[in-house]
Amino acid sequence: MPRQVDYENRRRRIAEAVCTLIARSGMEAVSLRDVAAQANVSMGAVQRCFRTKQDMLLFALEHISRHVSERANQRIAATSTPQAASTLLSHTLAELALLDEESRTQAHVWLAFITHAPASEKLAAVLHDTYAKLHGLIAWLIRYGQDTQEILQRLDPDREAHTLLALADGLTVHVLAGHHSPATALATLQRHIDHLLENASDRG
Amino acid sequence: MPRQVDYENRRRRIAEAVCTLIARSGMEAVSLRDVAAQANVSMGAVQRCFRTKQDMLLFALEHISRHVSERANQRIAATSTPQAASTLLSHTLAELALLDEESRTQAHVWLAFITHAPASEKLAAVLHDTYAKLHGLIAWLIRYGQDTQEILQRLDPDREAHTLLALADGLTVHVLAGHHSPATALATLQRHIDHLLENASDRG
DNA sequence: CGCGTTCTGATGCACTTGCATCGTATCCGG
DNA sequence: CCGGATACGATGCAAGTGCATCAGAACGCG
């Protein structure tokens, strides 16, 4: 009957404000007041959307997690011209590694949440879930590449997926830490993937 | 003339208290009072040792960084019976990846600092330095392995070192995030190293 | 021993935090 | 067009923060 508000929309807006703030100056710098200001809403609105600060942060994590997963899935599903499996694998991992400048914020937030996961059961659960999905996705891509004869048959998709995922995350960390530029990180990732291909320089 | 105190010792003690607290409940939970309590000193003592909280955290990071680097270097230098280069490489990386349960605290702290690095110039500098050193170390180990004919000659030590370091860090992250157990992470790392060796299953 | 310097730990202070409260503005059904 | 439910945003509040201050304990030297 009374005034209706698009909560889902507002929650998303707030989540993005949270991410911006986390990326700007770390997770401890996120106060309800700052979030409200950043999202251009009042503090009361924030408190109405999320019963507690924890809830707000958790939602922000899920927001990011969903964002990353969806982008990776779209990259695969929405490819109109069927691409080579190896190309698909490269592009998907490159996106998961959050290397481009626009993803820097997400990378930062993701890392912040990982850091705080051991202190929060629920955060850890979301992370675990997301990683499981990503691993499944990559393993699937590898099997697909093996089906199309692009990727070495003798490789164990699950194990290779683990390695690839770890490498991607490590590179994300290195870029954030300033040890790598996104470009060299990408090259490193690509170089590793090349080793998995059938038509590698030596051996098949 | 008057009362003399071993500051260096106290600073170390406080640094370790800081690390314990960070590992327990994140970096924002570290207050001067908590640190003082954890280190069994008064708050005044903490304030005497470190002019500001930032200084304290920075020292803690350098403390961890030094600890990790030294352990890796010792693993190499103090090896009485000259080991195979590949074994050396494995063990060194396994230690750098901070996989064993006792290193969990250090891994946690290390990640916390990486997360906060973009917000602090000095933190970033220390991280950059440490990573440069570690990369140099690993590249050196690879070259050594090539000299002893253990590691494939055609590999570029610098690039392989980058990959290895990223993989190690990625595995650290995955273990912290609960996506891997230390054991499987170690296996993944070892599997990757095996691919670099001359006597690999196929090809030399 | 006692003087003077250094170190200590308790307290003060201004500030920020997350959350609760509450009067008011806003909107929908009748 | 109005009654009532809802969302709003300002304010209050207790707790906790980093840092400054300071009286006094602890100690080496004359």
Side-chain angles (χ1 to χ4, degrees), chain B residues 115-138:
Chain B
T115 301
H116 287 244
S120 159
E121 190 67 35
K122 297 189 174 183
L123 243 62
V126 174
L127 283 179
H128 189 83
D129 236 52
T130 305
Y131 271 124
K133 276 181 198 156
L134 293 182
H135 174 262
L137 178 67
I138 295 174

Side-chain angles (χ1 to χ4, degrees), chain B residues 1-3 30-34 43 47 51-53:
Chain B
M1 315 35 183
R3 187 173 186 181
V30 175
S31 76
L32 297 188
R33 286 162 179 82
D34 292 348
M43 215 178 104
Q47 291 185 269
R51 214 166 43 74
T52 172
K53 188 187 181 182

